Amino acid sequence: MANPSVALSAVIKELQLKVIYSPCDPENIPISRSEINRPALPLTGFFDCFEADRLQIVGITENAYLTELSEDERRSRIRTLLSKRPPALIYTHKNPIDDIVIEAAKEYEIPLLCTDENTSEFMAALIAYLNVQLAPTISIHGVLVDVFGEGVLIMGESGIGKSEAALELIKRGHRLVSDDVVEISRVSDVTLVGTAPDITRHFIELRGIGIIDVKTLFGVESVKNTQSIDLVIKLEEWNKDKEYDRLGLEEEYIELLGNKVVCHSLPIRPGRNLAIIVETAAVNHRQKKMGYNAAQELYKRVQENLSKKREG
């Protein structure tokens, strides 16, 4: 898996940054780290553990320190910092940018950007954006649907009925995220986010009919661009020799990008309404997250009943 990166131009557009100087088209400047840095200590001359491949943020504290220095000291500190070749230097909070900084940025060809946002809010937004854009990503064969707010990833062999189940769910008021190919990103140790490739977004393939545009046929409320993946449902042909889980006392999981996601295997037989089953699975999964497990409640009642009989 190749190391992901995002163009500086995308960061500028997303965070609405103003470009003071750029040595080339920001589209050609890759950002490959989601971590960012405030160079307070480096500006004092301490560069141990300094990671130059991070975006550098100059807030009120850093700017106030620089203004206390003499012009020669300020020039020396800025030049030393930019000589480490960070991907960009970003000023926040409407801090004035000294001509010395602009001069050094041009000398070392370091993009210089600014924003009116205060430092804390800007850093939170920047980190959140980079975490999503630089998350490890895979593409898998499946359908992703938002069902009652739960992201349900429907998997199974080609032609087993994933798209048909998704279409029925859409007709019942739920939202399509992606059909056929789902791009999954691991944005944290507990969160996976799925989306559709740009070229197939909002389209569904139905065998015998062809391609349909869900957004056009059912309206904008029937589609969604991204969704966390909370539950996986595997569709498979009914096998009379296989023992299927009938109680659900213990969860089964599937691993995606190192994260475990609850997974149910649903056998396909004529007459089974997959849309209603998927809806029920989504609601039941949400109920479990809220602390109630119907299978455990039934088991508890059975044990209490047996206990009473023994006492009797």
Side-chain angles (χ1 to χ4, degrees), residues 111-126:
L112 183 59
L113 315 170
C114 69
T115 176
D116 292 343
E117 295 291 328
N118 70 57
T119 309
S120 297
E121 291 179 359
F122 173 75
M123 287 176 63
L126 178 59

Side-chain angles (χ1 to χ4, degrees), residues 130 135 154 288:
L130 291 177
I154 305 174
K288 287 180 180 179

Side-chain angles (χ1 to χ4, degrees), residues 6 11 48 65 146 186 193 269 309:
V6 59
V11 177
D48 290 3
Y65 172 75
D146 175 359
R186 180 179 180 268
V193 173
R269 292 187 73 176
K309 287 183 178 181

Side-chain angles (χ1 to χ4, degrees), residues 220-273:
V220 293
E221 71 277 5
S222 66
V223 295
K224 192 175 183 181
N225 286 342
T226 63
Q227 173 66 39
S228 62
I229 298 174
D230 305 294
L231 178 65
V232 174
I233 291 183
K234 284 186 175 181
L235 304 182
E236 56 184 58
E237 297 287 351
W238 179 276
N239 183 354
K240 64 180 181 179
D241 298 322
K242 182 176 179 179
E243 192 69 30
Y244 293 101
D245 187 8
R246 299 180 63 180
L247 294 178
L249 282 172
E250 295 185 5
E251 299 281 25
E252 294 183 5
Y253 295 89
I254 184 174
E255 190 170 296
L256 299 169
L257 288 171
N259 286 18
K260 289 185 176 180
V261 184
V262 175
C263 179
H264 299 311
S265 295
L266 290 185
I268 305 300
R269 292 187 73 176
R272 299 198 84 187
N273 191 320

Side-chain angles (χ1 to χ4, degrees), residues 137-301:
T137 302
I138 58 171
S139 296
I140 67 169
H141 181 60
V143 176
L144 181 58
V145 188
D146 175 359
V147 181
F148 296 125
E150 298 291 311
V152 181
L153 176 62
I154 305 174
M155 302 174 64
E157 294 182 1
S158 182
I160 202 167
K162 299 184 297 296
S163 298
E164 289 80 358
L167 183 61
E168 180 64 25
L169 287 166
I170 292 165
K171 291 180 64 178
R172 294 175 65 85
H174 306 293
R175 294 186 286 180
L176 173 74
V177 180
S178 182
D179 177 62
D180 191 46
V181 175
V182 182
E183 294 181 345
I184 301 175
S185 300
R186 180 179 180 268
V187 299
S188 76
D189 291 342
V190 295
T191 304
L192 297 172
V193 173
T195 188
D198 291 339
I199 195 169
T200 60
R201 182 165 290 135
H202 305 155
F203 290 100
I204 280 184
E205 175 196 352
L206 295 175
R207 283 175 172 77
I209 295 177
I211 304 298
I212 66 169
D213 187 336
V214 172
K215 182 179 177 182
T216 301
L217 286 182
F218 300 100
V220 293
E221 71 277 5
S222 66
V223 295
K224 192 175 183 181
N225 286 342
T226 63
Q227 173 66 39
S228 62
I229 298 174
D230 305 294
L231 178 65
V232 174
I233 291 183
K234 284 186 175 181
L235 304 182
E236 56 184 58
E237 297 287 351
W238 179 276
N239 183 354
K240 64 180 181 179
D241 298 322
K242 182 176 179 179
E243 192 69 30
Y244 293 101
D245 187 8
R246 299 180 63 180
L247 294 178
L249 282 172
E250 295 185 5
E251 299 281 25
E252 294 183 5
Y253 295 89
I254 184 174
E255 190 170 296
L256 299 169
L257 288 171
N259 286 18
K260 289 185 176 180
V261 184
V262 175
C263 179
H264 299 311
S265 295
L266 290 185
I268 305 300
R269 292 187 73 176
R272 299 198 84 187
N273 191 320
L274 288 179
I276 291 178
I277 296 174
V278 171
E279 276 186 342
T280 305
V283 174
N284 190 52
H285 181 69
R286 173 180 285 185
Q287 197 173 48
K288 287 180 180 179
K289 290 196 297 184
M290 296 173 68
Y292 180 82
N293 188 317
Q296 291 178 354
E297 179 65 23
L298 175 60
Y299 180 76
K300 178 182 176 183
R301 291 183 187 181

